[in-house]
PDB file of all heavy atoms in Angstrom:
ATOM      1  N   GLY E   1      45.050  47.051 -65.774  1.00  0.00           N
ATOM      2  CA  GLY E   1      46.406  46.817 -66.213  1.00  0.00           C
ATOM      3  C   GLY E   1      46.867  45.351 -66.176  1.00  0.00           C
ATOM      4  O   GLY E   1      48.023  45.063 -66.304  1.00  0.00           O
ATOM      5  N   LEU E   2      45.943  44.427 -65.977  1.00  0.00           N
ATOM      6  CA  LEU E   2      46.311  43.032 -65.987  1.00  0.00           C
ATOM      7  C   LEU E   2      46.704  42.588 -67.406  1.00  0.00           C
ATOM      8  O   LEU E   2      46.129  43.054 -68.392  1.00  0.00           O
ATOM      9  CB  LEU E   2      45.089  42.167 -65.529  1.00  0.00           C
ATOM     10  CG  LEU E   2      44.987  41.946 -64.010  1.00  0.00           C
ATOM     11  CD1 LEU E   2      44.706  43.206 -63.268  1.00  0.00           C
ATOM     12  CD2 LEU E   2      43.914  40.909 -63.742  1.00  0.00           C
ATOM     13  N   SER E   3      47.675  41.699 -67.460  1.00  0.00           N
ATOM     14  CA  SER E   3      48.120  41.171 -68.744  1.00  0.00           C
ATOM     15  C   SER E   3      47.119  40.121 -69.187  1.00  0.00           C
ATOM     16  O   SER E   3      46.253  39.662 -68.434  1.00  0.00           O
ATOM     17  CB  SER E   3      49.498  40.501 -68.552  1.00  0.00           C
ATOM     18  OG  SER E   3      49.411  39.340 -67.728  1.00  0.00           O
ATOM     19  N   LEU E   4      47.259  39.716 -70.456  1.00  0.00           N
ATOM     20  CA  LEU E   4      46.405  38.638 -70.982  1.00  0.00           C
ATOM     21  C   LEU E   4      46.550  37.391 -70.154  1.00  0.00           C
ATOM     22  O   LEU E   4      45.565  36.630 -69.900  1.00  0.00           O
ATOM     23  CB  LEU E   4      46.658  38.338 -72.420  1.00  0.00           C
ATOM     24  CG  LEU E   4      46.183  39.396 -73.414  1.00  0.00           C
ATOM     25  CD1 LEU E   4      46.545  39.020 -74.822  1.00  0.00           C
ATOM     26  CD2 LEU E   4      44.718  39.675 -73.295  1.00  0.00           C
ATOM     27  N   SER E   5      47.752  37.067 -69.711  1.00  0.00           N
ATOM     28  CA  SER E   5      48.014  35.908 -68.882  1.00  0.00           C
ATOM     29  C   SER E   5      47.252  35.986 -67.574  1.00  0.00           C
ATOM     30  O   SER E   5      46.701  35.033 -67.054  1.00  0.00           O
ATOM     31  CB  SER E   5      49.536  35.726 -68.655  1.00  0.00           C
ATOM     32  OG  SER E   5      50.170  35.433 -69.814  1.00  0.00           O
ATOM     33  N   GLN E   6      47.279  37.184 -66.969  1.00  0.00           N
ATOM     34  CA  GLN E   6      46.606  37.348 -65.680  1.00  0.00           C
ATOM     35  C   GLN E   6      45.085  37.268 -65.856  1.00  0.00           C
ATOM     36  O   GLN E   6      44.416  36.700 -64.991  1.00  0.00           O
ATOM     37  CB  GLN E   6      46.994  38.698 -65.053  1.00  0.00           C
ATOM     38  CG  GLN E   6      48.417  38.754 -64.641  1.00  0.00           C
ATOM     39  CD  GLN E   6      48.906  40.149 -64.230  1.00  0.00           C
ATOM     40  OE1 GLN E   6      48.624  41.102 -64.965  1.00  0.00           O
ATOM     41  NE2 GLN E   6      49.596  40.258 -63.129  1.00  0.00           N
ATOM     42  N   ILE E   7      44.593  37.844 -66.944  1.00  0.00           N
ATOM     43  CA  ILE E   7      43.117  37.744 -67.229  1.00  0.00           C
ATOM     44  C   ILE E   7      42.778  36.287 -67.454  1.00  0.00           C
ATOM     45  O   ILE E   7      41.737  35.778 -66.943  1.00  0.00           O
ATOM     46  CB  ILE E   7      42.718  38.604 -68.412  1.00  0.00           C
ATOM     47  CG1 ILE E   7      42.959  40.122 -68.041  1.00  0.00           C
ATOM     48  CG2 ILE E   7      41.275  38.392 -68.784  1.00  0.00           C
ATOM     49  CD1 ILE E   7      42.788  41.061 -69.243  1.00  0.00           C
ATOM     50  N   ALA E   8      43.590  35.524 -68.192  1.00  0.00           N
ATOM     51  CA  ALA E   8      43.348  34.122 -68.451  1.00  0.00           C
ATOM     52  C   ALA E   8      43.255  33.399 -67.129  1.00  0.00           C
ATOM     53  O   ALA E   8      42.340  32.515 -66.922  1.00  0.00           O
ATOM     54  CB  ALA E   8      44.405  33.517 -69.331  1.00  0.00           C
ATOM     55  N   HIS E   9      44.162  33.692 -66.203  1.00  0.00           N
ATOM     56  CA  HIS E   9      44.170  33.046 -64.898  1.00  0.00           C
ATOM     57  C   HIS E   9      42.813  33.346 -64.139  1.00  0.00           C
ATOM     58  O   HIS E   9      42.205  32.476 -63.588  1.00  0.00           O
ATOM     59  CB  HIS E   9      45.331  33.528 -64.057  1.00  0.00           C
ATOM     60  CG  HIS E   9      45.331  33.065 -62.667  1.00  0.00           C
ATOM     61  ND1 HIS E   9      45.729  31.811 -62.287  1.00  0.00           N
ATOM     62  CD2 HIS E   9      44.952  33.670 -61.521  1.00  0.00           C
ATOM     63  CE1 HIS E   9      45.582  31.635 -61.013  1.00  0.00           C
ATOM     64  NE2 HIS E   9      45.124  32.747 -60.487  1.00  0.00           N
ATOM     65  N   ASN E  10      42.412  34.624 -64.225  1.00  0.00           N
ATOM     66  CA  ASN E  10      41.207  35.041 -63.542  1.00  0.00           C
ATOM     67  C   ASN E  10      39.956  34.297 -64.163  1.00  0.00           C
ATOM     68  O   ASN E  10      38.999  33.967 -63.437  1.00  0.00           O
ATOM     69  CB  ASN E  10      40.961  36.516 -63.616  1.00  0.00           C
ATOM     70  CG  ASN E  10      41.880  37.276 -62.665  1.00  0.00           C
ATOM     71  OD1 ASN E  10      42.656  36.709 -61.958  1.00  0.00           O
ATOM     72  ND2 ASN E  10      41.841  38.603 -62.778  1.00  0.00           N
ATOM     73  N   VAL E  11      40.001  34.093 -65.478  1.00  0.00           N
ATOM     74  CA  VAL E  11      38.919  33.412 -66.159  1.00  0.00           C
ATOM     75  C   VAL E  11      38.924  31.913 -65.838  1.00  0.00           C
ATOM     76  O   VAL E  11      37.908  31.263 -65.913  1.00  0.00           O
ATOM     77  CB  VAL E  11      39.022  33.725 -67.683  1.00  0.00           C
ATOM     78  CG1 VAL E  11      38.111  32.815 -68.494  1.00  0.00           C
ATOM     79  CG2 VAL E  11      38.717  35.173 -67.954  1.00  0.00           C
ATOM     80  N   GLY E  12      40.125  31.404 -65.546  1.00  0.00           N
ATOM     81  CA  GLY E  12      40.240  29.989 -65.193  1.00  0.00           C
ATOM     82  C   GLY E  12      40.662  29.107 -66.376  1.00  0.00           C
ATOM     83  O   GLY E  12      40.278  27.919 -66.389  1.00  0.00           O
ATOM     84  N   VAL E  13      41.319  29.724 -67.358  1.00  0.00           N
ATOM     85  CA  VAL E  13      41.797  28.933 -68.525  1.00  0.00           C
ATOM     86  C   VAL E  13      43.273  29.202 -68.809  1.00  0.00           C
ATOM     87  O   VAL E  13      43.839  30.165 -68.267  1.00  0.00           O
ATOM     88  CB  VAL E  13      40.951  29.236 -69.811  1.00  0.00           C
ATOM     89  CG1 VAL E  13      39.532  28.914 -69.602  1.00  0.00           C
ATOM     90  CG2 VAL E  13      41.119  30.731 -70.187  1.00  0.00           C
ATOM     91  N   ALA E  14      43.863  28.374 -69.646  1.00  0.00           N
ATOM     92  CA  ALA E  14      45.262  28.549 -70.005  1.00  0.00           C
ATOM     93  C   ALA E  14      45.411  29.799 -70.898  1.00  0.00           C
ATOM     94  O   ALA E  14      44.438  30.228 -71.548  1.00  0.00           O
ATOM     95  CB  ALA E  14      45.752  27.315 -70.791  1.00  0.00           C
ATOM     96  N   ASP E  15      46.579  30.342 -70.897  1.00  0.00           N
ATOM     97  CA  ASP E  15      46.843  31.522 -71.745  1.00  0.00           C
ATOM     98  C   ASP E  15      46.489  31.279 -73.195  1.00  0.00           C
ATOM     99  O   ASP E  15      45.849  32.104 -73.807  1.00  0.00           O
ATOM    100  CB  ASP E  15      48.348  31.880 -71.690  1.00  0.00           C
ATOM    101  CG  ASP E  15      48.844  32.379 -70.364  1.00  0.00           C
ATOM    102  OD1 ASP E  15      48.029  32.472 -69.423  1.00  0.00           O
ATOM    103  OD2 ASP E  15      50.065  32.694 -70.270  1.00  0.00           O
ATOM    104  N   SER E  16      46.866  30.117 -73.684  1.00  0.00           N
ATOM    105  CA  SER E  16      46.610  29.817 -75.078  1.00  0.00           C
ATOM    106  C   SER E  16      45.090  29.726 -75.377  1.00  0.00           C
ATOM    107  O   SER E  16      44.654  30.185 -76.429  1.00  0.00           O
ATOM    108  CB  SER E  16      47.277  28.514 -75.507  1.00  0.00           C
ATOM    109  OG  SER E  16      46.800  27.435 -74.666  1.00  0.00           O
ATOM    110  N   THR E  17      44.366  29.238 -74.423  1.00  0.00           N
ATOM    111  CA  THR E  17      42.918  29.159 -74.639  1.00  0.00           C
ATOM    112  C   THR E  17      42.309  30.584 -74.674  1.00  0.00           C
ATOM    113  O   THR E  17      41.454  30.871 -75.481  1.00  0.00           O
ATOM    114  CB  THR E  17      42.266  28.331 -73.499  1.00  0.00           C
ATOM    115  OG1 THR E  17      42.814  27.029 -73.529  1.00  0.00           O
ATOM    116  CG2 THR E  17      40.736  28.284 -73.576  1.00  0.00           C
ATOM    117  N   PHE E  18      42.738  31.404 -73.737  1.00  0.00           N
ATOM    118  CA  PHE E  18      42.221  32.773 -73.656  1.00  0.00           C
ATOM    119  C   PHE E  18      42.567  33.530 -74.929  1.00  0.00           C
ATOM    120  O   PHE E  18      41.720  34.246 -75.485  1.00  0.00           O
ATOM    121  CB  PHE E  18      42.685  33.536 -72.434  1.00  0.00           C
ATOM    122  CG  PHE E  18      41.927  34.826 -72.278  1.00  0.00           C
ATOM    123  CD1 PHE E  18      40.582  34.840 -71.880  1.00  0.00           C
ATOM    124  CD2 PHE E  18      42.588  35.991 -72.493  1.00  0.00           C
ATOM    125  CE1 PHE E  18      39.951  36.050 -71.786  1.00  0.00           C
ATOM    126  CE2 PHE E  18      41.908  37.202 -72.367  1.00  0.00           C
ATOM    127  CZ  PHE E  18      40.602  37.252 -71.998  1.00  0.00           C
ATOM    128  N   ARG E  19      43.742  33.389 -75.380  1.00  0.00           N
ATOM    129  CA  ARG E  19      44.177  34.090 -76.636  1.00  0.00           C
ATOM    130  C   ARG E  19      43.330  33.568 -77.835  1.00  0.00           C
ATOM    131  O   ARG E  19      43.009  34.384 -78.696  1.00  0.00           O
ATOM    132  CB  ARG E  19      45.681  33.883 -76.913  1.00  0.00           C
ATOM    133  CG  ARG E  19      46.523  34.635 -75.874  1.00  0.00           C
ATOM    134  CD  ARG E  19      48.023  34.357 -76.047  1.00  0.00           C
ATOM    135  NE  ARG E  19      48.751  34.784 -74.874  1.00  0.00           N
ATOM    136  CZ  ARG E  19      49.180  36.001 -74.651  1.00  0.00           C
ATOM    137  NH1 ARG E  19      48.918  36.958 -75.544  1.00  0.00           N
ATOM    138  NH2 ARG E  19      49.850  36.331 -73.574  1.00  0.00           N
ATOM    139  N   LYS E  20      43.031  32.279 -77.849  1.00  0.00           N
ATOM    140  CA  LYS E  20      42.197  31.754 -78.927  1.00  0.00           C
ATOM    141  C   LYS E  20      40.799  32.403 -78.861  1.00  0.00           C
ATOM    142  O   LYS E  20      40.200  32.767 -79.865  1.00  0.00           O
ATOM    143  CB  LYS E  20      42.115  30.232 -78.811  1.00  0.00           C
ATOM    144  CG  LYS E  20      41.331  29.547 -79.877  1.00  0.00           C
ATOM    145  CD  LYS E  20      41.308  28.067 -79.722  1.00  0.00           C
ATOM    146  CE  LYS E  20      40.415  27.433 -80.749  1.00  0.00           C
ATOM    147  NZ  LYS E  20      40.287  26.014 -80.594  1.00  0.00           N
ATOM    148  N   TRP E  21      40.263  32.452 -77.613  1.00  0.00           N
ATOM    149  CA  TRP E  21      38.941  33.085 -77.467  1.00  0.00           C
ATOM    150  C   TRP E  21      38.978  34.547 -77.960  1.00  0.00           C
ATOM    151  O   TRP E  21      38.073  34.985 -78.614  1.00  0.00           O
ATOM    152  CB  TRP E  21      38.529  33.106 -75.985  1.00  0.00           C
ATOM    153  CG  TRP E  21      38.213  31.783 -75.399  1.00  0.00           C
ATOM    154  CD1 TRP E  21      38.223  30.549 -75.960  1.00  0.00           C
ATOM    155  CD2 TRP E  21      37.808  31.555 -74.029  1.00  0.00           C
ATOM    156  NE1 TRP E  21      37.851  29.595 -75.086  1.00  0.00           N
ATOM    157  CE2 TRP E  21      37.570  30.189 -73.891  1.00  0.00           C
ATOM    158  CE3 TRP E  21      37.577  32.394 -72.927  1.00  0.00           C
ATOM    159  CZ2 TRP E  21      37.181  29.617 -72.693  1.00  0.00           C
ATOM    160  CZ3 TRP E  21      37.145  31.803 -71.736  1.00  0.00           C
ATOM    161  CH2 TRP E  21      36.934  30.440 -71.636  1.00  0.00           C
ATOM    162  N   ARG E  22      40.025  35.249 -77.579  1.00  0.00           N
ATOM    163  CA  ARG E  22      40.143  36.661 -78.025  1.00  0.00           C
ATOM    164  C   ARG E  22      40.149  36.763 -79.536  1.00  0.00           C
ATOM    165  O   ARG E  22      39.542  37.659 -80.105  1.00  0.00           O
ATOM    166  CB  ARG E  22      41.433  37.253 -77.470  1.00  0.00           C
ATOM    167  CG  ARG E  22      41.682  38.703 -77.833  1.00  0.00           C
ATOM    168  CD  ARG E  22      43.085  39.106 -77.668  1.00  0.00           C
ATOM    169  NE  ARG E  22      43.937  38.286 -78.514  1.00  0.00           N
ATOM    170  CZ  ARG E  22      45.277  38.259 -78.456  1.00  0.00           C
ATOM    171  NH1 ARG E  22      45.894  39.029 -77.584  1.00  0.00           N
ATOM    172  NH2 ARG E  22      45.966  37.486 -79.245  1.00  0.00           N
ATOM    173  N   ASP E  23      40.908  35.841 -80.184  1.00  0.00           N
ATOM    174  CA  ASP E  23      41.002  35.892 -81.648  1.00  0.00           C
ATOM    175  C   ASP E  23      39.717  35.459 -82.334  1.00  0.00           C
ATOM    176  O   ASP E  23      39.429  35.901 -83.418  1.00  0.00           O
ATOM    177  CB  ASP E  23      42.142  34.954 -82.110  1.00  0.00           C
ATOM    178  CG  ASP E  23      43.478  35.460 -81.650  1.00  0.00           C
ATOM    179  OD1 ASP E  23      43.597  36.644 -81.263  1.00  0.00           O
ATOM    180  OD2 ASP E  23      44.453  34.694 -81.688  1.00  0.00           O
ATOM    181  N   GLU E  24      38.940  34.583 -81.734  1.00  0.00           N
ATOM    182  CA  GLU E  24      37.707  34.009 -82.324  1.00  0.00           C
ATOM    183  C   GLU E  24      36.458  34.779 -81.971  1.00  0.00           C
ATOM    184  O   GLU E  24      35.427  34.638 -82.642  1.00  0.00           O
ATOM    185  CB  GLU E  24      37.552  32.547 -81.915  1.00  0.00           C
ATOM    186  CG  GLU E  24      38.640  31.662 -82.490  1.00  0.00           C
ATOM    187  CD  GLU E  24      38.494  30.224 -82.117  1.00  0.00           C
ATOM    188  OE1 GLU E  24      37.617  29.873 -81.233  1.00  0.00           O
ATOM    189  OE2 GLU E  24      39.266  29.395 -82.613  1.00  0.00           O
ATOM    190  N   HIS E  25      36.485  35.565 -80.897  1.00  0.00           N
ATOM    191  CA  HIS E  25      35.255  36.262 -80.431  1.00  0.00           C
ATOM    192  C   HIS E  25      35.507  37.754 -80.321  1.00  0.00           C
ATOM    193  O   HIS E  25      36.184  38.244 -79.420  1.00  0.00           O
ATOM    194  CB  HIS E  25      34.812  35.667 -79.082  1.00  0.00           C
ATOM    195  CG  HIS E  25      34.573  34.208 -79.157  1.00  0.00           C
ATOM    196  ND1 HIS E  25      33.457  33.655 -79.724  1.00  0.00           N
ATOM    197  CD2 HIS E  25      35.336  33.151 -78.772  1.00  0.00           C
ATOM    198  CE1 HIS E  25      33.521  32.333 -79.681  1.00  0.00           C
ATOM    199  NE2 HIS E  25      34.679  32.015 -79.101  1.00  0.00           N
ATOM    200  N   GLU E  26      34.932  38.467 -81.256  1.00  0.00           N
ATOM    201  CA  GLU E  26      35.093  39.929 -81.324  1.00  0.00           C
ATOM    202  C   GLU E  26      34.690  40.623 -80.042  1.00  0.00           C
ATOM    203  O   GLU E  26      35.357  41.625 -79.622  1.00  0.00           O
ATOM    204  CB  GLU E  26      34.328  40.522 -82.483  1.00  0.00           C
ATOM    205  CG  GLU E  26      34.451  42.002 -82.624  1.00  0.00           C
ATOM    206  CD  GLU E  26      35.884  42.530 -82.814  1.00  0.00           C
ATOM    207  OE1 GLU E  26      36.720  41.832 -83.344  1.00  0.00           O
ATOM    208  OE2 GLU E  26      36.139  43.648 -82.278  1.00  0.00           O
ATOM    209  N   ALA E  27      33.676  40.113 -79.355  1.00  0.00           N
ATOM    210  CA  ALA E  27      33.260  40.748 -78.114  1.00  0.00           C
ATOM    211  C   ALA E  27      34.311  40.711 -77.037  1.00  0.00           C
ATOM    212  O   ALA E  27      34.519  41.699 -76.319  1.00  0.00           O
ATOM    213  CB  ALA E  27      31.966  40.065 -77.609  1.00  0.00           C
TER     214      ALA E  27
END
């Protein structure tokens, strides 16, 4: 149930970076 912002934090990147990864990488 983590939000994209929380997942981005866990991954260690900014929200905008994680959203870009999500949009660019189907996996």
Side-chain angles (χ1 to χ4, degrees):
L2 272 65
S3 68
L4 288 179
S5 294
Q6 292 170 315
I7 295 172
H9 174 79
N10 287 356
V11 168
V13 298
D15 293 359
S16 58
T17 299
F18 188 71
R19 290 174 195 277
K20 182 178 176 184
W21 290 1
R22 179 199 60 190
D23 294 344
E24 293 179 354
H25 302 284
E26 179 56 33

